[in-house]
Amino acid sequence: MNCKELVYLLGDFFEGSMEEHLRQELAVHIERCEPCMNFLKTYDKTRILCRQIQPEEIPEEVRNRLKAFVLQKAREHHRDIEKYLERAARERREQVADILRAYVANRLSMTMNLLFRTHRDRCDRCGAFLKGLNGGKAIPEIPPDIEDHIAEFLEALPPGESPVIG
Amino acid sequence: MPAERLLDDNVLLEELRKGTPDAVEMLFDRFHSKIYSLAMSILKNESDAEEAAQDVFLTVVRKADTFKGNSALYSWIYRICVNTCLMRLRGKRRGETVSIEDFMPVFTEEGMHASLIDDWSKEVERKALDKELGQVIRRFTENLSEKYRVVFVLSDVEGLSNEETAEILGLTVPAVKSRLHRARLYLREQLSRYLREGKAE
C-alpha cells in the first residue's frame, strides 16, 4: 500500500468497513511513514471537529413568525379538507336521493331499472327499504347505512350510463 | 390526548392526518430547529432558510396522508427539506464556490505524498470547542459546491449514517461515501492552510 492508496482508503478505515488484510497493510505503512500518520490524525480530527459544529440556531423572532405561519396554514389546509369532505358527502347524498326519486317515479333508464330492481330483489340490506318506498311518492329520510350502501352500488355501475330519464 | 403520545411517530402522523392542532404544534416543536439549521447549511441565508422551512412544513402537513411510513418520519422530513432547498438553489447561481480539486492531496508518480503534511491535531485540541474555529469550518463548508456540501452536512454535521444520507438524497451508498471522503479531504486541507497561516502571522 502506498500513501495515495492509504489516503483513498481512509474513509473506510474510520467507518470500520475496511477489510482485515488492508487494515494490516495500513498499520504497517503508517508505522514507517510520518506524513501518512499525520494525514490520518488530521483527517480524523477534521471529522471530529465537524461533529462539534453547533447547528445554526434559529433566531427567536424567526421561530415565532415561522410557528404562527405554520399553524395558521395548517388550520386553513384542514378547513379546506373538511369543506371538501362535506361537499363530497352532500353530493353523494343528493345523488342517492335523485336515484330514489327516479325509482319511485319510474324514471330510471332501462338498464338502470333492470340493475336496480335485480339488486333490490336480492339484497337484504336495502331490499326491504326500497320495497317499502314503492307505494308512496315522498322519499322519507334515508338511513345513513342505506345511503352508504346505495352510494357504493352506484359507484360500481358502468360509467357513461345516464341512470335517470328526463 | 396526552402530549407524550404524540412523540410516537405513528401517532403523530395519524393525528396530523386528522388535522389535530396539537399534532401540528408537536411537529413544529420537534423538527423546526433541525429543518432550519439544515436549510441554513444548504442555503446559507436567513430569509431563504425561513421561506424554505415554511415550504417544508406545508409539504409535510399536506402530504402526511400519502406518507407510507416505509422510512422513518425524520428521514422523510429531511428529504423534503433537502429537496425544497435544492429547488430554491437551482433558481440562483452563486459564484463563490471553490473548486474542490484545488484542495485534494497531491502525490508523486510513485504514490507518495508530494507536499508537507503537518500534524496539527494536537494543536487544535485546545481550540476544539472554540467558536472561531467553528465559524472557520462553517465558512469552508459554505464554499463547497452543494454536491459535496449536502452530503457532508447530513453525514458529518447531522451525524446520519451513510445509508440514511443515501436514502434521503437518492444516491447510492458508495456515492455518498466518496463525496463525503472528498469533502473531508477538502476540509482537512483548508484547515491545514488556515492553521499554517495562523502560525506564520
PDB file of all heavy atoms in Angstrom, chain A residues 62-85:
ATOM      1  N   VAL A  62     -37.588  34.687  14.305  1.00  0.00           N
ATOM      2  CA  VAL A  62     -37.895  33.851  13.141  1.00  0.00           C
ATOM      3  C   VAL A  62     -38.735  32.652  13.577  1.00  0.00           C
ATOM      4  O   VAL A  62     -39.703  32.274  12.912  1.00  0.00           O
ATOM      5  CB  VAL A  62     -36.592  33.362  12.452  1.00  0.00           C
ATOM      6  CG1 VAL A  62     -36.912  32.421  11.297  1.00  0.00           C
ATOM      7  CG2 VAL A  62     -35.784  34.545  11.962  1.00  0.00           C
ATOM      8  N   ARG A  63     -38.368  32.068  14.722  1.00  0.00           N
ATOM      9  CA  ARG A  63     -39.107  30.910  15.218  1.00  0.00           C
ATOM     10  C   ARG A  63     -40.586  31.252  15.433  1.00  0.00           C
ATOM     11  O   ARG A  63     -41.474  30.546  14.990  1.00  0.00           O
ATOM     12  CB  ARG A  63     -38.513  30.415  16.531  1.00  0.00           C
ATOM     13  CG  ARG A  63     -39.142  29.095  17.007  1.00  0.00           C
ATOM     14  CD  ARG A  63     -39.141  28.937  18.511  1.00  0.00           C
ATOM     15  NE  ARG A  63     -37.924  29.437  19.138  1.00  0.00           N
ATOM     16  CZ  ARG A  63     -36.812  28.727  19.285  1.00  0.00           C
ATOM     17  NH1 ARG A  63     -36.777  27.494  18.897  1.00  0.00           N
ATOM     18  NH2 ARG A  63     -35.764  29.281  19.854  1.00  0.00           N
ATOM     19  N   ASN A  64     -40.810  32.395  16.109  1.00  0.00           N
ATOM     20  CA  ASN A  64     -42.196  32.772  16.401  1.00  0.00           C
ATOM     21  C   ASN A  64     -42.995  33.016  15.124  1.00  0.00           C
ATOM     22  O   ASN A  64     -44.135  32.591  14.989  1.00  0.00           O
ATOM     23  CB  ASN A  64     -42.225  34.017  17.291  1.00  0.00           C
ATOM     24  CG  ASN A  64     -41.623  33.726  18.648  1.00  0.00           C
ATOM     25  OD1 ASN A  64     -41.557  32.565  19.070  1.00  0.00           O
ATOM     26  ND2 ASN A  64     -41.161  34.753  19.332  1.00  0.00           N
ATOM     27  N   ARG A  65     -42.350  33.720  14.197  1.00  0.00           N
ATOM     28  CA  ARG A  65     -43.024  34.034  12.933  1.00  0.00           C
ATOM     29  C   ARG A  65     -43.333  32.745  12.169  1.00  0.00           C
ATOM     30  O   ARG A  65     -44.433  32.543  11.667  1.00  0.00           O
ATOM     31  CB  ARG A  65     -42.115  34.955  12.120  1.00  0.00           C
ATOM     32  CG  ARG A  65     -42.807  35.630  10.954  1.00  0.00           C
ATOM     33  CD  ARG A  65     -41.980  36.773  10.436  1.00  0.00           C
ATOM     34  NE  ARG A  65     -40.610  36.335  10.127  1.00  0.00           N
ATOM     35  CZ  ARG A  65     -39.534  37.086  10.361  1.00  0.00           C
ATOM     36  NH1 ARG A  65     -39.635  38.280  10.888  1.00  0.00           N
ATOM     37  NH2 ARG A  65     -38.327  36.631  10.046  1.00  0.00           N
ATOM     38  N   LEU A  66     -42.345  31.866  12.134  1.00  0.00           N
ATOM     39  CA  LEU A  66     -42.498  30.611  11.399  1.00  0.00           C
ATOM     40  C   LEU A  66     -43.606  29.755  12.015  1.00  0.00           C
ATOM     41  O   LEU A  66     -44.442  29.185  11.317  1.00  0.00           O
ATOM     42  CB  LEU A  66     -41.164  29.857  11.414  1.00  0.00           C
ATOM     43  CG  LEU A  66     -41.059  28.563  10.618  1.00  0.00           C
ATOM     44  CD1 LEU A  66     -41.312  28.811   9.145  1.00  0.00           C
ATOM     45  CD2 LEU A  66     -39.670  27.938  10.794  1.00  0.00           C
ATOM     46  N   LYS A  67     -43.611  29.699  13.336  1.00  0.00           N
ATOM     47  CA  LYS A  67     -44.605  28.876  14.023  1.00  0.00           C
ATOM     48  C   LYS A  67     -46.025  29.393  13.755  1.00  0.00           C
ATOM     49  O   LYS A  67     -46.925  28.624  13.423  1.00  0.00           O
ATOM     50  CB  LYS A  67     -44.327  28.861  15.528  1.00  0.00           C
ATOM     51  CG  LYS A  67     -45.249  27.925  16.284  1.00  0.00           C
ATOM     52  CD  LYS A  67     -44.699  27.626  17.664  1.00  0.00           C
ATOM     53  CE  LYS A  67     -45.575  26.613  18.377  1.00  0.00           C
ATOM     54  NZ  LYS A  67     -44.966  26.115  19.607  1.00  0.00           N
ATOM     55  N   ALA A  68     -46.187  30.713  13.883  1.00  0.00           N
ATOM     56  CA  ALA A  68     -47.514  31.301  13.631  1.00  0.00           C
ATOM     57  C   ALA A  68     -47.957  30.972  12.205  1.00  0.00           C
ATOM     58  O   ALA A  68     -49.102  30.579  11.972  1.00  0.00           O
ATOM     59  CB  ALA A  68     -47.458  32.814  13.849  1.00  0.00           C
ATOM     60  N   PHE A  69     -47.029  31.111  11.264  1.00  0.00           N
ATOM     61  CA  PHE A  69     -47.337  30.844   9.855  1.00  0.00           C
ATOM     62  C   PHE A  69     -47.762  29.392   9.651  1.00  0.00           C
ATOM     63  O   PHE A  69     -48.793  29.111   9.028  1.00  0.00           O
ATOM     64  CB  PHE A  69     -46.102  31.160   9.008  1.00  0.00           C
ATOM     65  CG  PHE A  69     -46.240  30.829   7.554  1.00  0.00           C
ATOM     66  CD1 PHE A  69     -46.770  31.744   6.655  1.00  0.00           C
ATOM     67  CD2 PHE A  69     -45.844  29.583   7.072  1.00  0.00           C
ATOM     68  CE1 PHE A  69     -46.900  31.437   5.308  1.00  0.00           C
ATOM     69  CE2 PHE A  69     -45.977  29.256   5.727  1.00  0.00           C
ATOM     70  CZ  PHE A  69     -46.509  30.184   4.852  1.00  0.00           C
ATOM     71  N   VAL A  70     -46.984  28.480  10.212  1.00  0.00           N
ATOM     72  CA  VAL A  70     -47.251  27.046  10.001  1.00  0.00           C
ATOM     73  C   VAL A  70     -48.601  26.647  10.615  1.00  0.00           C
ATOM     74  O   VAL A  70     -49.417  25.972   9.975  1.00  0.00           O
ATOM     75  CB  VAL A  70     -46.110  26.181  10.591  1.00  0.00           C
ATOM     76  CG1 VAL A  70     -46.495  24.717  10.615  1.00  0.00           C
ATOM     77  CG2 VAL A  70     -44.841  26.380   9.776  1.00  0.00           C
ATOM     78  N   LEU A  71     -48.851  27.103  11.839  1.00  0.00           N
ATOM     79  CA  LEU A  71     -50.116  26.737  12.499  1.00  0.00           C
ATOM     80  C   LEU A  71     -51.312  27.291  11.726  1.00  0.00           C
ATOM     81  O   LEU A  71     -52.308  26.607  11.512  1.00  0.00           O
ATOM     82  CB  LEU A  71     -50.129  27.234  13.949  1.00  0.00           C
ATOM     83  CG  LEU A  71     -49.112  26.558  14.881  1.00  0.00           C
ATOM     84  CD1 LEU A  71     -49.235  27.096  16.298  1.00  0.00           C
ATOM     85  CD2 LEU A  71     -49.271  25.037  14.886  1.00  0.00           C
ATOM     86  N   GLN A  72     -51.157  28.548  11.287  1.00  0.00           N
ATOM     87  CA  GLN A  72     -52.233  29.184  10.522  1.00  0.00           C
ATOM     88  C   GLN A  72     -52.524  28.418   9.218  1.00  0.00           C
ATOM     89  O   GLN A  72     -53.660  28.087   8.907  1.00  0.00           O
ATOM     90  CB  GLN A  72     -51.821  30.639  10.236  1.00  0.00           C
ATOM     91  CG  GLN A  72     -52.665  31.365   9.207  1.00  0.00           C
ATOM     92  CD  GLN A  72     -54.064  31.637   9.737  1.00  0.00           C
ATOM     93  OE1 GLN A  72     -54.276  31.600  10.946  1.00  0.00           O
ATOM     94  NE2 GLN A  72     -55.013  31.882   8.846  1.00  0.00           N
ATOM     95  N   LYS A  73     -51.455  28.127   8.477  1.00  0.00           N
ATOM     96  CA  LYS A  73     -51.632  27.441   7.189  1.00  0.00           C
ATOM     97  C   LYS A  73     -52.195  26.037   7.380  1.00  0.00           C
ATOM     98  O   LYS A  73     -52.987  25.555   6.565  1.00  0.00           O
ATOM     99  CB  LYS A  73     -50.296  27.355   6.435  1.00  0.00           C
ATOM    100  CG  LYS A  73     -49.837  28.673   5.879  1.00  0.00           C
ATOM    101  CD  LYS A  73     -50.689  29.068   4.689  1.00  0.00           C
ATOM    102  CE  LYS A  73     -50.288  30.436   4.185  1.00  0.00           C
ATOM    103  NZ  LYS A  73     -51.146  30.952   3.123  1.00  0.00           N
ATOM    104  N   ALA A  74     -51.757  25.373   8.444  1.00  0.00           N
ATOM    105  CA  ALA A  74     -52.255  24.020   8.702  1.00  0.00           C
ATOM    106  C   ALA A  74     -53.751  24.076   9.001  1.00  0.00           C
ATOM    107  O   ALA A  74     -54.517  23.228   8.530  1.00  0.00           O
ATOM    108  CB  ALA A  74     -51.492  23.394   9.861  1.00  0.00           C
ATOM    109  N   ARG A  75     -54.161  25.080   9.778  1.00  0.00           N
ATOM    110  CA  ARG A  75     -55.594  25.239  10.051  1.00  0.00           C
ATOM    111  C   ARG A  75     -56.375  25.429   8.756  1.00  0.00           C
ATOM    112  O   ARG A  75     -57.387  24.782   8.517  1.00  0.00           O
ATOM    113  CB  ARG A  75     -55.831  26.443  10.967  1.00  0.00           C
ATOM    114  CG  ARG A  75     -55.935  26.091  12.454  1.00  0.00           C
ATOM    115  CD  ARG A  75     -56.553  27.241  13.240  1.00  0.00           C
ATOM    116  NE  ARG A  75     -55.798  28.493  13.106  1.00  0.00           N
ATOM    117  CZ  ARG A  75     -54.741  28.811  13.854  1.00  0.00           C
ATOM    118  NH1 ARG A  75     -54.313  27.989  14.777  1.00  0.00           N
ATOM    119  NH2 ARG A  75     -54.106  29.955  13.682  1.00  0.00           N
ATOM    120  N   GLU A  76     -55.858  26.340   7.915  1.00  0.00           N
ATOM    121  CA  GLU A  76     -56.545  26.602   6.639  1.00  0.00           C
ATOM    122  C   GLU A  76     -56.628  25.324   5.795  1.00  0.00           C
ATOM    123  O   GLU A  76     -57.663  25.026   5.213  1.00  0.00           O
ATOM    124  CB  GLU A  76     -55.801  27.669   5.835  1.00  0.00           C
ATOM    125  CG  GLU A  76     -56.009  29.064   6.360  1.00  0.00           C
ATOM    126  CD  GLU A  76     -55.084  30.058   5.673  1.00  0.00           C
ATOM    127  OE1 GLU A  76     -54.537  29.730   4.593  1.00  0.00           O
ATOM    128  OE2 GLU A  76     -54.898  31.156   6.230  1.00  0.00           O
ATOM    129  N   HIS A  77     -55.515  24.613   5.773  1.00  0.00           N
ATOM    130  CA  HIS A  77     -55.468  23.389   4.970  1.00  0.00           C
ATOM    131  C   HIS A  77     -56.529  22.406   5.447  1.00  0.00           C
ATOM    132  O   HIS A  77     -57.266  21.835   4.636  1.00  0.00           O
ATOM    133  CB  HIS A  77     -54.076  22.765   5.073  1.00  0.00           C
ATOM    134  CG  HIS A  77     -53.953  21.424   4.438  1.00  0.00           C
ATOM    135  ND1 HIS A  77     -54.061  21.244   3.079  1.00  0.00           N
ATOM    136  CD2 HIS A  77     -53.763  20.196   4.976  1.00  0.00           C
ATOM    137  CE1 HIS A  77     -53.932  19.954   2.808  1.00  0.00           C
ATOM    138  NE2 HIS A  77     -53.752  19.300   3.944  1.00  0.00           N
ATOM    139  N   HIS A  78     -56.619  22.226   6.764  1.00  0.00           N
ATOM    140  CA  HIS A  78     -57.578  21.252   7.266  1.00  0.00           C
ATOM    141  C   HIS A  78     -59.011  21.739   7.133  1.00  0.00           C
ATOM    142  O   HIS A  78     -59.919  20.953   6.939  1.00  0.00           O
ATOM    143  CB  HIS A  78     -57.225  20.858   8.697  1.00  0.00           C
ATOM    144  CG  HIS A  78     -56.013  19.978   8.754  1.00  0.00           C
ATOM    145  ND1 HIS A  78     -54.812  20.406   9.253  1.00  0.00           N
ATOM    146  CD2 HIS A  78     -55.806  18.718   8.305  1.00  0.00           C
ATOM    147  CE1 HIS A  78     -53.915  19.437   9.122  1.00  0.00           C
ATOM    148  NE2 HIS A  78     -54.487  18.405   8.546  1.00  0.00           N
ATOM    149  N   ARG A  79     -59.198  23.051   7.203  1.00  0.00           N
ATOM    150  CA  ARG A  79     -60.540  23.584   6.928  1.00  0.00           C
ATOM    151  C   ARG A  79     -60.936  23.278   5.486  1.00  0.00           C
ATOM    152  O   ARG A  79     -62.058  22.878   5.202  1.00  0.00           O
ATOM    153  CB  ARG A  79     -60.579  25.093   7.189  1.00  0.00           C
ATOM    154  CG  ARG A  79     -61.292  25.444   8.499  1.00  0.00           C
ATOM    155  CD  ARG A  79     -61.822  26.865   8.476  1.00  0.00           C
ATOM    156  NE  ARG A  79     -60.809  27.862   8.156  1.00  0.00           N
ATOM    157  CZ  ARG A  79     -60.017  28.429   9.073  1.00  0.00           C
ATOM    158  NH1 ARG A  79     -60.104  28.098  10.331  1.00  0.00           N
ATOM    159  NH2 ARG A  79     -59.128  29.330   8.708  1.00  0.00           N
ATOM    160  N   ASP A  80     -59.985  23.461   4.572  1.00  0.00           N
ATOM    161  CA  ASP A  80     -60.261  23.163   3.160  1.00  0.00           C
ATOM    162  C   ASP A  80     -60.652  21.704   2.980  1.00  0.00           C
ATOM    163  O   ASP A  80     -61.568  21.379   2.229  1.00  0.00           O
ATOM    164  CB  ASP A  80     -59.030  23.457   2.293  1.00  0.00           C
ATOM    165  CG  ASP A  80     -58.807  24.948   2.108  1.00  0.00           C
ATOM    166  OD1 ASP A  80     -59.741  25.711   2.488  1.00  0.00           O
ATOM    167  OD2 ASP A  80     -57.748  25.341   1.617  1.00  0.00           O
ATOM    168  N   ILE A  81     -59.926  20.828   3.672  1.00  0.00           N
ATOM    169  CA  ILE A  81     -60.214  19.398   3.545  1.00  0.00           C
ATOM    170  C   ILE A  81     -61.606  19.102   4.077  1.00  0.00           C
ATOM    171  O   ILE A  81     -62.389  18.388   3.456  1.00  0.00           O
ATOM    172  CB  ILE A  81     -59.164  18.567   4.306  1.00  0.00           C
ATOM    173  CG1 ILE A  81     -57.846  18.614   3.555  1.00  0.00           C
ATOM    174  CG2 ILE A  81     -59.619  17.126   4.446  1.00  0.00           C
ATOM    175  CD1 ILE A  81     -56.767  17.760   4.171  1.00  0.00           C
ATOM    176  N   GLU A  82     -61.921  19.708   5.239  1.00  0.00           N
ATOM    177  CA  GLU A  82     -63.252  19.477   5.797  1.00  0.00           C
ATOM    178  C   GLU A  82     -64.342  19.937   4.844  1.00  0.00           C
ATOM    179  O   GLU A  82     -65.324  19.252   4.632  1.00  0.00           O
ATOM    180  CB  GLU A  82     -63.394  20.207   7.133  1.00  0.00           C
ATOM    181  CG  GLU A  82     -63.016  19.326   8.308  1.00  0.00           C
ATOM    182  CD  GLU A  82     -62.791  20.129   9.570  1.00  0.00           C
ATOM    183  OE1 GLU A  82     -63.517  21.137   9.762  1.00  0.00           O
ATOM    184  OE2 GLU A  82     -61.890  19.758  10.344  1.00  0.00           O
ATOM    185  N   LYS A  83     -64.123  21.130   4.281  1.00  0.00           N
ATOM    186  CA  LYS A  83     -65.104  21.654   3.326  1.00  0.00           C
ATOM    187  C   LYS A  83     -65.273  20.688   2.157  1.00  0.00           C
ATOM    188  O   LYS A  83     -66.381  20.417   1.704  1.00  0.00           O
ATOM    189  CB  LYS A  83     -64.647  23.021   2.793  1.00  0.00           C
ATOM    190  CG  LYS A  83     -65.139  24.180   3.625  1.00  0.00           C
ATOM    191  CD  LYS A  83     -64.923  25.458   2.847  1.00  0.00           C
ATOM    192  CE  LYS A  83     -64.430  26.558   3.773  1.00  0.00           C
ATOM    193  NZ  LYS A  83     -63.528  27.506   3.099  1.00  0.00           N
ATOM    194  N   TYR A  84     -64.154  20.208   1.689  1.00  0.00           N
ATOM    195  CA  TYR A  84     -64.189  19.294   0.558  1.00  0.00           C
ATOM    196  C   TYR A  84     -64.943  18.015   0.917  1.00  0.00           C
ATOM    197  O   TYR A  84     -65.788  17.542   0.147  1.00  0.00           O
ATOM    198  CB  TYR A  84     -62.756  18.957   0.128  1.00  0.00           C
ATOM    199  CG  TYR A  84     -62.673  17.806  -0.830  1.00  0.00           C
ATOM    200  CD1 TYR A  84     -62.977  17.985  -2.179  1.00  0.00           C
ATOM    201  CD2 TYR A  84     -62.342  16.523  -0.379  1.00  0.00           C
ATOM    202  CE1 TYR A  84     -62.936  16.926  -3.056  1.00  0.00           C
ATOM    203  CE2 TYR A  84     -62.302  15.461  -1.247  1.00  0.00           C
ATOM    204  CZ  TYR A  84     -62.598  15.657  -2.587  1.00  0.00           C
ATOM    205  OH  TYR A  84     -62.560  14.598  -3.439  1.00  0.00           O
ATOM    206  N   LEU A  85     -64.662  17.483   2.096  1.00  0.00           N
ATOM    207  CA  LEU A  85     -65.330  16.255   2.527  1.00  0.00           C
ATOM    208  C   LEU A  85     -66.829  16.483   2.693  1.00  0.00           C
ATOM    209  O   LEU A  85     -67.649  15.654   2.305  1.00  0.00           O
ATOM    210  CB  LEU A  85     -64.731  15.746   3.841  1.00  0.00           C
ATOM    211  CG  LEU A  85     -63.298  15.208   3.743  1.00  0.00           C
ATOM    212  CD1 LEU A  85     -62.779  14.834   5.118  1.00  0.00           C
ATOM    213  CD2 LEU A  85     -63.229  14.009   2.795  1.00  0.00           C
TER     214      LEU A  85
END
